[in-house]
Amino acid sequence: RSSCRANSARAMKLAYWMYSGPAHIGTLRIASSFQNVHAIMHAPLGDDYFNVLRSMLERERDFTPVTASIVDRHVLAEGSKSKVVEGITRKAAEDLPDLILLTPTCTSSILQEDLESFVENASRNSGMSDVILADVNHYRVNEMQAADRTLEQIVRFYVDKATKEEGYKPKKTKRPSANIIGPTTLGFHHHHDARELKRMLGEMGIDVNMVTPEGGRVTELKHLTDAWFNIVPYRETGLMAAKYLERQFDMPFTDTVPM
């Protein structure tokens, strides 16, 4: 029995330390959860394992929408501005994504490059695709914190764009409705959780307005404001977006979920 307990303790410790990865993994999880969003990862070889990880675990039909802009000796000698900008504009022309999200890793962040200017230059030649830089400090946050921050950034970008620039006004649904904010790719049982929440809400006569980010489109994020309230099933991801919607649109949310 004592050996079994010792083995269990070691297994739990291993699972605990494997639980949270570096910040760019969280950002890429959010980007690849949406439909028609492409991520450009500015990173050296060795940091570009996300595609393999997601393809192996999710086993989806389509390729993971992440491209690595590799930092190599030529980049170190000449700078990476032209390479990154060219990669963004090429992906915008080839795939016509709604959004291209640029993210460094903690390794490439050491270069202290002005990625904001890269995004500004690429935006001029990206056609109908929006281009944003993930607003994450890769030295100070982990995978879960970065995922939460990136989701809030994307929601805020598109909701503000719709309400302030395009004049969109929220239209509350006639029947009680809720958004489910938080299910992502590579989430632990997220698909099952979302299905169960939909069933429970349906039994209470509450419609599901949107589920985001998993399977959603960024161009539809403005309709988050049409729901009566938000449900945040996970404390790791979705809380910042729910608080933003509460602050800006007086939308209540619950993060206490019967699961």
Side-chain angles (χ1 to χ4, degrees):
R1 288 182 180 177
S2 60
S3 63
C4 288
R5 283 197 295 269
N7 289 335
S8 298
R10 282 196 293 270
M12 288 299 292
K13 186 175 182 180
L14 178 61
Y16 174 80
W17 286 110
M18 289 177 64
Y19 182 62
S20 186
H24 71 276
I25 296 296
T27 293
L28 296 177
R29 281 180 59 188
I30 296 299
S32 56
S33 294
F34 284 107
Q35 295 183 33
N36 204 34
V37 170
H38 199 93
I40 303 287
M41 178 174 50
H42 184 49
L45 287 172
D47 283 354
D48 58 342
Y49 56 87
F50 178 80
N51 290 34
V52 176
L53 178 70
R54 184 173 181 272
S55 299
M56 178 180 64
L57 296 178
E58 291 289 353
R59 299 181 63 84
E60 293 185 354
R61 175 181 176 275
D62 298 323
F63 287 110
T64 298
V66 175
T67 298
S69 177
I70 299 298
V71 177
D72 54 20
R73 59 191 178 86
H74 300 291
V75 167
L76 293 176
E78 303 170 6
S80 55
K81 181 175 181 178
S82 60
K83 184 175 184 178
V84 173
V85 172
E86 180 185 346
I88 293 173
T89 54
R90 185 179 71 251
K91 273 299 166 185
E94 290 175 355
D95 297 344
L96 303 177
D98 297 320
L99 169 67
I100 296 177
L101 181 70
L102 175 64
T103 179
T105 66
C106 57
T107 310
S108 60
S109 295
I110 295 173
L111 299 176
Q112 295 292 305
E113 294 180 294
D114 187 6
L115 298 181
E116 292 254 3
S117 69
F118 295 7
V119 167
E120 290 178 8
N121 288 341
S123 296
R124 301 189 188 105
N125 299 302
S126 62
M128 298 299 292
S129 300
D130 294 308
V131 184
I132 63 175
L133 172 66
D135 184 15
V136 171
N137 187 325
H138 291 264
Y139 297 112
R140 293 176 178 257
V141 300
N142 61 27
E143 173 187 347
M144 300 303 175
Q145 294 168 311
D148 198 25
R149 179 73 185 98
T150 302
L151 178 58
E152 187 268 344
Q153 180 186 5
I154 293 174
V155 168
R156 175 164 42 87
F157 178 85
Y158 280 98
V159 171
D160 284 355
K161 179 181 178 182
T163 55
K164 296 179 181 179
E165 299 177 19
E166 301 170 3
Y168 179 81
K169 295 183 179 179
K171 307 178 186 67
K172 293 299 180 184
T173 58
K174 293 181 179 180
R175 284 169 47 88
S177 63
N179 299 312
I180 302 174
I181 302 177
T184 68
T185 188
L186 295 178
F188 185 71
H189 287 302
H190 283 198
H191 294 290
H192 306 85
D193 294 343
R195 184 168 64 243
E196 182 66 10
L197 279 171
K198 290 177 182 178
R199 184 190 64 78
M200 293 171 63
L201 290 170
E203 291 178 352
M204 292 185 287
I206 300 174
D207 296 333
V208 175
N209 181 56
M210 288 184 66
V211 178
T212 194
E214 180 66 7
R217 294 191 67 133
V218 293
T219 52
E220 300 297 317
L221 287 175
K222 61 185 178 184
H223 295 299
L224 286 171
T225 57
D226 297 346
W228 289 27
F229 67 101
N230 295 311
I231 296 175
V232 183
Y234 315 107
R235 61 185 179 183
E236 299 93 350
T237 307
L239 192 59
M240 290 183 67
K243 288 182 176 179
Y244 158 76
L245 293 169
E246 180 186 51
R247 185 170 61 250
Q248 296 296 323
F249 299 95
D250 199 27
M251 293 182 68
F253 71 88
T254 177
D255 58 350
T256 303
V257 182
M259 294 167 59

